[in-house]
Amino acid sequence: TVVTPAETIASSQLAVQELGNNVIKQNYIYTHDKMYPRYKNRQVAVHGEKKFKQQFLDVAKTLNTMGVTITSFKADPPVGFFRVWPQIKPGAKLKIDRGEQKDLIAGDVVYNWLLMVPTTQEWTFTSNKGGPPRKLKREGFQVAIAQEAAVPGEEEWTFIDGGTLKPQELRAMFPSLPQQLVLPERVDSEIK
């Protein structure tokens, strides 16, 4: 856990809320487009690009067929804060490659923020037998990832859905994460 600017924390929560607002509008391609690129590439390698994208295009139809509606999506304040994946800035890399600079100096490396943003969703299940609808509360999280911005709060966030994510999958992409990384739990409960 690292000291994270308040503006960065707020912008991650707002970005996850925007993701949730698109889910409620059934704009699932937004979740595809905002997926963390290295994670998306791994999924595309497994499923194939066309088939992977089609899954997002089909979500609304699949949920409608099952009588499921996501009625609310709330992003809560982040609970985990990490600086990961240091990258040498292109200008610094060029100077080193040309021999103009021997070692990295302060400001030559940019990090990425990785924040765990809890979410609470409400799902309504319509009974196909004519009974009253049932409601589910799903508590989960999004992993929000963005390169550090020159001005905190102006980060361009991408996401990994924490629904089925395992700590080792996240550590495979970000080896600097703690060995004993504990992810927030996903909890489903019926709303009576």
Side-chain angles (χ1 to χ4, degrees):
T1 299
V2 294
V3 176
T4 310
E7 298 86 353
T8 298
I9 293 170
S11 86
S12 72
Q13 186 179 353
L14 273 171
V16 172
Q17 188 60 59
E18 180 65 23
L19 182 80
N21 294 346
N22 276 279
V23 164
I24 289 171
K25 292 179 202 161
Q26 298 189 346
N27 180 15
Y28 295 101
I29 202 67
Y30 184 89
T31 62
H32 171 274
D33 295 345
K34 289 291 187 175
M35 188 177 293
Y36 178 64
R38 292 193 305 153
Y39 182 76
K40 186 193 290 185
N41 291 342
R42 289 173 180 220
Q43 299 305 310
V44 165
V46 171
H47 303 285
E49 192 162 342
K50 204 171 178 182
K51 190 175 176 188
F52 183 62
K53 189 171 186 176
Q54 193 61 46
Q55 291 173 355
F56 292 85
L57 294 169
D58 292 344
V59 170
K61 187 170 68 177
T62 304
L63 289 177
N64 288 340
T65 302
M66 293 171 22
V68 176
T69 309
I70 300 174
T71 53
S72 77
F73 186 118
K74 181 178 180 286
D76 294 313
V79 294
F81 308 88
F82 304 93
R83 281 177 85 212
V84 295
W85 201 35
Q87 297 162 278
I88 299 172
K89 291 180 179 174
K93 185 169 177 10
L94 194 62
K95 286 180 184 174
I96 290 170
D97 289 348
R98 287 183 184 156
E100 296 169 16
Q101 182 178 323
K102 195 170 137 188
D103 296 314
L104 292 173
I105 55 174
D108 283 350
V109 175
V110 65
Y111 283 82
N112 286 262
W113 289 112
L114 185 150
L115 278 62
M116 308 284 178
V117 182
T119 59
T120 305
Q121 299 176 39
E122 284 186 17
W123 294 29
T124 301
F125 296 82
T126 307
S127 170
N128 54 6
K129 295 183 177 114
R134 296 176 68 193
K135 290 184 180 253
L136 169 89
K137 177 179 167 186
R138 171 162 286 172
E139 296 170 85
F141 70 99
Q142 290 286 326
V143 179
I145 304 148
Q147 194 170 82
E148 289 180 330
V151 177
E154 292 185 2
E155 296 82 7
E156 294 288 327
W157 294 98
T158 57
F159 310 99
I160 300 173
D161 181 35
T164 58
L165 190 66
K166 294 182 177 30
Q168 58 268 30
E169 290 177 279
L170 206 49
R171 289 197 72 254
M173 283 181 283
F174 304 104
S176 65
L177 287 170
Q179 191 75 41
Q180 305 302 324
L181 179 68
V182 177
L183 299 178
E185 255 183 80
R186 187 177 106 182
V187 179
D188 287 346
S189 55
E190 188 171 356
I191 301 170
K192 298 282 185 188

